[in-house]
Amino acid sequence: MRHTGRVTDIERTLILLRHAKSDWTGSVPDVERPLADRGRGQAPLAGRWLASRAERIDLAVVSPARRARETWELVAAELPVVPPARPDDRVYAASAEHLLEVVRDLPEDAGTVILVGHNPGMEELASLLAGDEVVMRTSGIAQFGTTGPWSELAAATATLRAAGRSDGLALR
C-alpha cells in the first residue's frame, strides 16, 4: 500500500488478454466460434507468461464467447493457483468505453484482475488506459498498474507494465 492524499491507495494490476486465434472455417454463430489449432498453442504460452509474471490473480472476467472461454481454460491450466472466473456478457463485442465500465464495476478487494475479451475493444481499452497506442494481437497481453479504486479508473491513469504476445513478440 502507498500513502497519498487519500487515506490509503492500494496498488492494483489489470491484465487484458485478447483471446487466442479462433477458427473461421465452420459455419457457427460468431459467439460459438472455437479456437483454431494455432490458438490452442498460443493460449498455454500466455498462461506460462502470466504464471511467471503475475504473483497472483484474484479474479478472471471472461467474455461468454466460446473462443474466450477456451482461451481462459488453457491459460488457467498453466497457473499455480486458478482464480475464480466470472463470465460477463458485457465483454463480448464491447467497445473500450463498455469495457472500462466492466473494470469500474470490479470488486474493490480484487487486487489483480484479468479481463479476457476481443478486439477491437481490448486494443482500444489498452490504448485508452496507457494514453498511447497499444497493439493487441491474438493472445495479446497488456498488463497495467494503477492505484486507487477500480471505480475511478480513467483514460491515461494506468501505467503500462508489459504489452505484446506471449509467444515472444514484443513482450516487455
Side-chain angles (χ1 to χ4, degrees), residues 5-160:
R6 299 173 195 221
V7 176
T8 306
D9 282 340
I10 298 172
E11 294 201 23
R12 292 183 164 79
T13 300
L14 176 64
I15 302 165
L16 304 180
L17 172 63
R18 181 178 170 200
H19 67 76
K21 182 69 177 165
S22 61
D23 185 350
W24 287 86
T25 60
S27 60
V28 297
D30 183 69
V31 74
E32 289 302 321
R33 245 183 323 114
L35 289 180
D37 288 342
R38 188 170 111 201
R40 283 189 288 280
Q42 289 175 328
L45 294 173
R48 286 184 211 123
W49 187 89
L50 288 169
S52 72
R53 304 282 175 109
E55 288 181 29
R56 101 175 179 262
I57 300 172
D58 299 308
L59 177 66
V61 179
V62 183
S63 163
R66 180 176 173 186
R67 59 195 177 276
R69 292 187 330 259
E70 289 178 352
T71 296
W72 174 244
E73 289 168 8
L74 291 167
V75 166
E78 300 295 327
L79 301 176
V81 177
V82 178
R86 182 178 79 194
D88 193 321
D89 291 342
R90 299 176 297 168
V91 178
Y92 177 68
S95 66
E97 293 76 22
H98 287 112
L99 290 171
L100 184 56
E101 287 303 315
V102 170
V103 173
R104 287 178 178 155
D105 288 344
L106 290 171
E108 293 302 335
D109 63 346
T112 299
V113 176
I114 185 166
L115 180 64
V116 184
H118 314 266
N119 262 0
M122 295 296 278
E123 188 169 87
E124 291 168 355
L125 178 61
S127 299
L128 178 77
L129 293 175
D132 197 9
E133 182 181 18
V134 177
V135 176
M136 298 281 296
R137 296 190 186 346
T138 56
S139 200
I141 297 169
Q143 183 183 42
F144 292 90
T146 188
T147 56
W150 291 119
S151 60
E152 294 179 11
L153 192 62
T157 61
T159 301
L160 181 62

